[in-house]
Amino acid sequence: AASAEPHRVASALTARGAHVLDLPPVVLERARGAAFGVHADPAARKLDVVVLGDGARTAVVSVVEYVESAAVNVADSTAFVPAQTLPEPELHAIEERSRTLVAGIGGRGLATLTWSLSRRGPGLMNVTLGPSSIAPFVARVVGLDLSSISTELSAGSTLRSLGLADVPT
C-alpha cells in the first residue's frame, strides 16, 4: 500500500495539469555523471544559475558564484551575486545553456541549475525545479518575490504577463 501512495499523488497532480518526472534513481545518477559532463575535480568551483520559466520562455534571474570548492556545502560557502570572476563570454554561455535546458524541459516556475567549474570546463551538477535553498537569498538580492512569481508561472501565467520579459541579471 505504501508504494501505491506516490503513484496516487502523481496521478492527482497530473490530473490538475502538473508534469511529473518519474525516472528511476539509476537513470538520474547516470545522467548527472556521464551525460552532463560533471568532472571529478576537487578544485572545481560552483555556480548556481536561477532561472524563471513559463513553459516557453525563460529568464535568468541571477548567477551565484561560490568562492570555495564545489565540495564545500553551500551553507558553509561564501558567494557573490552577481558572479565576479568569470569572463563575460563564459558567463553568458552558461546562462544560455541554463535557459535552454529549462526551456527544453518545459519548466514552469523557478529552477536552479548548479554548475561545476573545473579546468576542463563547466559541467552540470544538478537541476532543481521549484524552490531551492539559494532562492530566498537571491530573492532578497534582486528584490523579486520569487516564490510568488514561481507560483504564478506554475499556475499558467507567462513571464510577459507578469512584466518579466526582460529580467535584469
Side-chain angles (χ1 to χ4, degrees):
S3 65
E5 181 65 14
H7 294 289
R8 187 186 66 72
V9 171
S11 295
L13 290 171
T14 304
R16 292 174 47 195
H19 296 280
V20 178
L21 180 63
D22 188 15
L23 295 174
V26 129
V27 173
L28 289 173
E29 285 304 314
R30 188 172 61 230
R32 286 176 62 193
F36 291 113
V38 175
H39 313 300
D41 181 355
R45 289 181 307 117
K46 205 167 25 177
L47 284 182
D48 278 339
V49 181
V50 180
V51 179
L52 289 170
D54 63 13
R57 298 192 61 194
T58 58
V60 172
V61 176
S62 186
V63 177
V64 180
E65 179 182 6
Y66 296 93
V67 175
E68 286 81 13
S69 79
V72 174
N73 185 315
V74 171
D76 299 325
S77 186
T78 302
F80 293 108
V81 176
Q84 299 292 307
T85 68
L86 289 176
E88 229 173 282
E90 187 176 342
L91 183 62
H92 289 305
I94 290 172
E95 287 178 346
E96 189 56 34
R97 286 173 70 188
S98 298
R99 289 168 38 91
T100 300
L101 283 165
V102 172
I105 60 174
R108 297 189 68 83
L110 188 65
T112 303
L113 295 90
T114 303
W115 294 88
S116 168
L117 303 174
S118 75
R119 297 181 306 270
R120 296 167 60 190
L124 184 63
M125 293 173 57
N126 190 36
V127 177
T128 303
L129 299 175
S132 66
S133 59
I134 197 68
F137 169 70
V138 170
R140 285 191 304 269
V141 170
V142 299
L144 293 172
D145 184 355
L146 292 178
S147 60
S148 294
I149 293 168
S150 180
T151 301
E152 291 289 331
L153 292 169
S154 297
S157 294
T158 64
L159 289 167
R160 181 160 285 141
S161 70
L162 296 175
L164 297 169
D166 296 309
V167 176
T169 58

